[in-house]
Amino acid sequence: MQNSAVFVPHFHWDREWYEPFQVFRHRLVTALDTVLETAEANPDFRFTVDGQMAAIEDYLEMRPENRDRVVALVADGRLAIGPWLILLDEFLCSGETIVRNLQMGWAAAADLGGSMPIGYLPDMFGHVAQMPQILARAGIEHAALWRGVPGSVDGHAFRWRAPDGSEVRTEFLFDGYDNGLDVLLVPDHIRRALGEYAEMTAERWGDDPVLAMAGTDHNAPDPQLATWLRRASSDKLAITIATLDEYIREHVRDEVSALVTGELRSHVRGNILPGVLSVRLALKQRMAVAERTIDHAERMNAQWSQRDDSPFLLLAWHKIIESSAHDSVVGSGTDETADQVEARLAEATHAARAVRDAALAEPAALVPSDGYLIANPLPFPRTALAEVEVAAPPEATVLVATAADGSAHPVQLISKAPTVLSDEHMDASQLERVLRRIHRRELFGRLIDHYELTPGSLVFHLAEVPTSGPFDLLILRRQVAAAAAAHPGEWRVLTLEEARASALVPVDVPASGLASFRVEPSDRTAAQSTTFAPATATARALSNGLVEVRIAADGTLDVAGADGTVLHGVGRLIDGGDRGDSYNYAPPAQDVLVSQPTEVTVELLENGPLRSRMRVTRVYAWPAALSSERDVRSSQTVPTPVETLVEVRAGEPFVRVSTSFLNQCADHRLRFHVPLPEPAAVSASAGQFAVTERGLTAEGGWGEYPIPTFPASSFVSAGAAHVLLDHATEYELVGDGSELAITLLRAIGSISVNIHPLRDEPAASEIPAPGAQDLGVRIENRFAVVPSATGWQGANAVALAEDFRNDVLVARGTAPAEGHLPPDATGVQVDGADILVSSIRRVADDDRGAGTEVRLVAMSDTGSTVRVTGAFTEATTVDLLGRPLSATPVTDGLELALGPWEIRTVVVR
């Protein structure tokens, strides 16, 4: 039996959850006031601030006068802060967001005296496979966590290994982060209670002291805690108060033999609450948009702008990271909390978009205003489609896009805009009111090219780029006043826009580079030249020579790949009831599954040569809700049309699919099924710097049924089916591995329910969350399907997912029209198989000056040789906190050998 115990006073602080942020912050200020007063009154007291700097930042924003008090306690080792900015959900943000979270938390802690060097992850709903490498490459040797640890771990610590081989010693909080509280229930009986707990758990501790985590959610420890523990300590069971860092570094002695590799998603010792992957779809989509926008903004700013917009980017990152909290992006809070998270992510997107657009405006100033600038955010050359507005040509006139080098590509017109913007009749005395609409030269969002003024008639001709010379509003006012006086009575005011059309343009863009083009009439011979076989369409089929799609009678898709692989029945929709909550799905006892539409229509929208599209509309009769007893689906049904847009583009080996419907039903789960040619026993999904394989089951053993729904971020693969994703989502292999099911919507109405068929204990209070039903909300999802029998690596899924998620960026030129197009420009280029470029951004060093940081990940178990080229002459390898490790002169590009699943960060200058 143990003869010592270490108590770690702490709290776990959910920044927002069943109350919005500011309500929780009010409690936080009171709690940290108590902590500071307790620590200053008692030199024995220690406190660990939950591993996240957001709590300290939020506190000091309200109590700036207490900063020095915090610094003094940190310096004295009695207040442990950091290393994270926020306690995140690891599966619902990108790997890059995890890195920036650690960087920003570490830096914020450094400003107050230094971070606790422990990867403290107390309440996340499982842990990603690459977390040990992320911590190790930041110089952190230890982690501490609770949920997700497999049943093979029978002690209080284990070695946690990432796919690349990196390891961190991990303290297993097997009884949760509040295991010391039961011992403290009766202060006069602490000695007896602690002795009993130590005896019950003796096999876990070995020769190490008992770790008693003395804290819980949203409460400071009792100011008398140190007095109670001092009184309870004895020769038989000595009690010490410590920070978590002190416990791990000063009190543990046992060698750790247990080894766990990869992600932690077991239900054995704690609920991992997998339903958070699919509830409140909008939050997952907005997180993906925010991350993608700031990534593009950083890349554009670093490579094509003379302006350092780091303050705006830091603001955007801070808001993204705040939103990644494990009770924020997961959607397990109240409606007002979810609204605040959604607004914060929108604000982050706005700040990043401003930086991105400003960066693009600089090279766009060299492109004539009758041309377009295209920017490629990816570090490899590509031919991509850009959608732009052009002057509509006369019938039978062919348009081509001419590049700076004189090459021409065909243009596909996809729609024409109306030319009559307004047609009004008014008395001559009212003409002055019309002129007030004009702001210098702008009218209705366009510019006045010229106007026609005749008795009783005023006609404006608008253009995006005027060609008629100067326009003088004062002259127009004088002319109209004279004409109105000379011709009283009724006038007609007609506002016409030049004939405009939307066009698809194929553009060859260098790696991380810029290209420009203008669209102009040409003969048909020139217009036929293209690199790829055209996209074509018939009444119920689309093809581009690489992938073919046929629409079946039931509205599902038969998708054939270049290697002959055929996936039948893709897009079968199955809707079932959900009587669960924001944390866990649960089917009603008498479920009704709806899989067959009552009506199917197919409409051809576009017929190549660059893009072909069809719209399939299927109408389903879905039950309106659950009955009052929650275990029966309603007999009342709601006819719901689901539109599926099916698209193939020239040169792409996948079919793009998007679904859209207006949700009018409650308490249900809708899934998109991809039947497999042969049953698969294993799936693989990409996210957070790794591709993780999983079987058909999950490990159970706690109080939560181990439903095998798993997270995926950029793609999921099973057998011959590979689905490229727009945002983080959940999937499951169903039917003994015969079908891949991807959740499109999970609509529920409560944060938690007290009695849950798949979970023994409530996950929170039973608080209504009607907004999580998404009633009256248009639900949209987009993905792409790649048929290939060669596995995700043979299908090149890593690169295809990047291509699918990252469209080229388009900006209108702003130089005088009809000038020369600037030559193409290449940025940082990265060549290598299965390489993910997670980040390209501007960095600054006090000693070495400005540089460009490039973060690379080898997304395979064999590693990869990588070549990085660009306008640089030296490279420095840095750790994940940006600290230099080694420098390398560069003469003709940088050659790097990355090990399996290795994350490597280099700064080039």
Side-chain angles (χ1 to χ4, degrees):
M1 177 177 163
Q2 280 62 41
N3 58 10
S4 63
V6 177
F7 278 74
V8 174
H10 76 103
F11 56 41
H12 173 56
W13 206 272
D14 300 294
R15 196 166 183 263
E16 55 201 355
W17 181 17
Y18 56 82
E19 294 282 10
F21 162 58
Q22 295 296 356
V23 175
F24 267 135
R25 172 150 74 171
H26 193 271
R27 300 179 189 176
L28 171 70
V29 170
T30 300
L32 279 176
D33 280 346
T34 300
V35 167
L36 297 187
E37 292 164 4
T38 303
E40 290 168 343
N42 191 330
D44 294 338
F45 185 77
R46 304 284 191 274
F47 191 79
T48 300
V49 190
D50 202 28
Q52 57 180 338
M53 285 303 300
I56 297 294
E57 288 187 350
D58 294 341
Y59 175 74
L60 291 180
E61 189 175 1
M62 296 293 105
R63 292 278 196 269
E65 68 276 10
N66 288 344
R67 187 180 190 279
D68 290 345
R69 298 172 67 190
V70 170
V71 170
L73 289 171
V74 171
D76 202 29
R78 296 194 292 132
L79 187 67
I81 60 175
W84 302 100
L85 178 60
I86 205 80
L87 290 181
L88 71 162
D89 185 284
E90 299 168 32
F91 293 97
L92 290 175
C93 64
S94 69
E96 189 62 32
T97 297
I98 297 175
V99 171
R100 302 303 179 90
N101 187 342
L102 185 57
Q103 290 177 346
M104 294 179 74
W106 193 269
D111 286 343
L112 296 173
S115 174
M116 173 177 70
I118 308 293
Y120 188 42
L121 303 161
D123 198 30
M124 286 69 167
F125 307 151
H127 303 278
V128 297
Q130 287 281 40
M131 183 58 75
Q133 184 179 180
I134 292 171
L135 295 175
R137 288 183 181 264
I140 297 175
E141 300 174 342
H142 298 268
L145 49 82
W146 167 31
R147 304 183 196 263
V149 178
S152 59
V153 175
D154 55 11
H156 73 97
F158 60 96
R159 290 182 293 124
W160 186 15
R161 179 179 293 171
D164 78 310
S166 301
E167 290 185 8
V168 291
R169 180 199 177 277
T170 303
E171 188 68 27
F172 177 26
L173 308 177
F174 59 89
D175 270 345
Y177 53 79
D178 59 355
N179 69 314
L181 287 190
D182 287 348
V183 171
L184 301 174
L185 280 175
V186 183
D188 289 340
H189 295 166
I190 290 175
R191 184 180 302 167
R192 174 195 55 77
L194 180 59
E196 291 177 356
Y197 180 75
E199 184 176 1
M200 286 188 298
T201 58
E203 291 184 0
R204 288 249 177 211
W205 301 110
D207 293 330
D208 289 335
V210 171
L211 170 61
M213 298 294 290
T216 188
D217 296 357
H218 322 134
N219 284 286
D222 193 292
Q224 298 301 310
L225 176 63
T227 301
W228 298 341
L229 295 178
R230 193 161 43 244
R231 189 169 63 229
S233 184
S234 67
D235 293 339
K236 292 184 179 180
L237 191 55
I239 297 174
T240 305
I241 297 179
T243 64
L244 182 61
D245 181 37
E246 288 173 329
Y247 171 79
I248 291 173
R249 295 184 179 278
E250 299 176 13
H251 295 278
V252 298
R253 297 177 293 275
D254 276 358
E255 292 293 324
V256 178
S257 58
L259 173 66
V260 178
T261 299
E263 71 175 358
L264 305 180
R265 289 196 63 83
S266 169
H267 304 255
V268 167
R269 294 291 302 184
N271 297 337
I272 64 168
L273 312 170
V276 299
L277 298 171
S278 52
V279 74
R280 295 196 193 266
L281 168 69
L283 293 181
K284 282 64 173 176
Q285 292 175 324
R286 281 157 179 72
M287 173 62 75
V289 169
E291 289 178 325
R292 192 154 51 237
T293 306
I294 196 169
D295 179 37
H296 293 175
E298 286 191 327
R299 295 181 190 218
M300 295 301 108
N301 181 260
Q303 297 176 91
W304 304 115
S305 177
Q306 298 299 312
R307 171 175 169 167
D308 183 358
D309 267 330
S310 296
F312 287 92
L313 294 169
L314 284 172
L315 171 68
W317 269 120
H318 201 288
K319 291 185 178 296
I320 289 171
I321 293 164
E322 290 176 64
S323 304
S324 72
H326 66 288
D327 285 305
S328 297
V329 69
V330 298
S332 59
T334 59
D335 290 351
E336 56 188 351
T337 296
D339 291 344
Q340 188 171 21
V341 176
E342 191 170 336
R344 190 184 301 130
L345 286 169
E347 194 174 353
T349 302
H350 300 161
R353 190 178 75 199
V355 174
R356 180 200 68 193
D357 292 351
L360 287 176
E362 294 181 44
L366 304 176
V367 177
S369 58
D370 59 345
Y372 288 90
L373 175 77
I374 304 297
N376 179 12
L378 299 180
F380 49 80
R382 60 202 287 219
T383 299
L385 291 185
E387 188 168 330
V388 298
E389 280 195 359
V390 298
E395 292 297 328
T397 300
V398 174
L399 296 180
V400 298
T402 304
D405 63 1
S407 61
H409 292 286
V411 168
Q412 177 182 334
L413 293 181
I414 55 177
S415 66
K416 290 188 177 182
T419 58
V420 178
L421 300 185
S422 71
D423 188 353
E424 303 167 276
H425 294 266
M426 63 188 66
D427 188 79
S429 62
Q430 301 299 309
L431 290 176
E432 174 60 28
R433 296 175 59 186
V434 172
L435 300 184
R436 294 178 199 163
R437 300 171 181 168
I438 303 170
H439 301 277
R440 290 164 291 281
R441 193 168 189 164
E442 180 270 327
L443 176 60
F444 296 157
R446 298 297 186 193
L447 299 178
I448 297 174
D449 183 77
H450 63 281
Y451 58 89
E452 301 169 17
L453 181 60
T454 58
S457 174
L458 174 58
V459 181
F460 291 106
H461 294 269
L462 309 185
E464 189 172 7
V465 180
T467 59
S468 62
F471 168 79
D472 193 322
L473 180 57
L474 294 179
I475 292 176
L476 174 63
R477 287 183 181 277
R478 188 165 62 247
Q479 290 175 342
V480 169
H487 303 281
E490 184 178 82
W491 277 64
R492 182 188 187 192
V493 180
L494 184 62
T495 306
L496 302 175
E497 183 179 12
E498 64 178 340
R500 307 290 296 173
S502 294
L504 287 175
V505 179
V507 187
D508 297 324
V509 199
S512 299
L514 307 175
S516 57
F517 66 86
R518 58 165 54 94
V519 176
E520 51 197 7
S522 180
D523 58 71
R524 287 188 176 274
T525 303
Q528 295 304 314
S529 61
T530 183
T531 307
F532 305 112
T536 60
T538 60
R540 298 182 74 92
L542 307 172
S543 179
N544 65 0
L546 298 174
V547 64
E548 183 178 357
V549 189
R550 293 190 176 275
I551 314 299
D554 63 356
T556 62
L557 315 177
D558 294 338
V559 185
D563 66 353
T565 300
V566 181
L567 305 175
H568 294 282
V570 171
R572 187 166 70 101
L573 299 179
I574 299 183
D575 184 78
D578 192 341
R579 61 143 300 170
D581 52 30
S582 66
Y583 292 103
N584 296 81
Y585 159 79
Q590 300 179 45
D591 202 1
V592 174
L593 299 180
V594 179
S595 61
Q596 294 300 316
T598 59
E599 180 184 343
V600 178
T601 59
V602 180
E603 180 184 2
L604 177 61
L605 301 179
E606 297 173 16
N607 184 6
L610 301 175
R611 184 174 76 186
S612 291
R613 278 179 164 181
M614 282 185 179
R615 179 165 53 225
V616 181
T617 303
R618 291 173 283 178
V619 181
Y620 294 87
W622 290 341
L626 292 179
S627 62
S628 57
E629 62 268 26
R630 305 289 297 161
D631 259 328
V632 179
R633 295 195 82 180
S634 170
S635 59
Q636 176 189 353
T637 61
V638 179
T640 305
V642 180
E643 294 182 352
T644 302
L645 188 65
V646 187
E647 174 183 324
V648 297
R649 297 183 180 182
E652 290 186 341
F654 49 80
V655 53
R656 295 173 180 256
V657 180
S658 59
T659 60
S660 175
F661 63 94
L662 183 67
N663 183 46
Q664 303 171 78
C665 302
D667 311 314
H668 68 125
R669 180 180 71 173
L670 177 66
R671 301 208 284 188
F672 181 99
H673 284 240
V674 182
L676 306 179
E678 299 289 339
V682 174
S683 65
S685 76
Q688 298 81 35
F689 303 144
V691 178
T692 303
E693 291 192 349
R694 307 179 180 98
L696 298 178
T697 60
E699 184 181 36
W702 187 245
E704 181 178 58
Y705 183 81
I707 184 171
T709 53
F710 297 112
S713 290
S714 60
F715 70 80
V716 57
S717 173
H722 318 282
V723 181
L724 314 179
L725 302 170
D726 170 73
H727 59 271
T729 188
E730 74 172 12
Y731 75 91
E732 182 181 2
L733 275 180
V734 298
D736 295 324
S738 63
E739 294 191 38
L740 175 65
I742 298 171
T743 303
L744 302 184
L745 173 69
R746 207 164 67 80
I748 51 85
S750 180
I751 289 179
S752 177
V753 293
N754 293 335
I755 305 300
H756 193 293
L758 301 183
R759 191 185 65 229
D760 286 349
E761 60 176 323
S765 299
E766 196 169 81
I767 299 173
Q773 296 281 16
D774 282 331
L775 289 169
V777 175
R778 180 153 291 278
I779 305 300
E780 298 179 337
N781 287 271
R782 74 179 189 105
F783 26 84
V785 179
V786 185
S788 174
T790 59
W792 62 266
Q793 283 183 283
N796 201 23
V798 171
L800 291 183
E802 286 293 280
D803 200 45
F804 171 67
R805 291 162 69 99
N806 294 277
D807 291 332
V808 291
L809 309 174
V810 182
R812 188 67 183 254
T814 56
E818 300 182 358
H820 292 293
L821 295 171
D824 292 356
T826 302
V828 172
Q829 180 164 336
V830 177
D831 297 299
D834 293 324
I835 291 294
L836 172 70
V837 179
S838 177
S839 164
I840 300 175
R841 63 163 177 159
R842 182 195 303 260
V843 293
D845 184 281
D846 291 340
D847 297 324
R848 306 181 69 89
T852 301
E853 181 187 84
V854 183
R855 190 157 8 261
L856 310 156
V857 187
M859 295 286 282
S860 75
D861 55 9
T862 58
S864 183
T865 299
V866 186
R867 179 173 170 79
V868 184
T869 53
F872 54 87
T873 57
E874 64 174 85
T876 303
T877 299
V878 300
D879 71 5
L880 283 185
L881 296 179
R883 298 173 296 204
L885 300 175
S886 62
T888 305
V890 177
T891 55
D892 183 27
L894 176 65
E895 296 278 353
L896 299 171
L898 270 60
W901 306 107
E902 181 185 352
I903 305 167
R904 182 84 63 88
T905 308
V906 295
V907 176
V908 296
R909 292 181 172 86

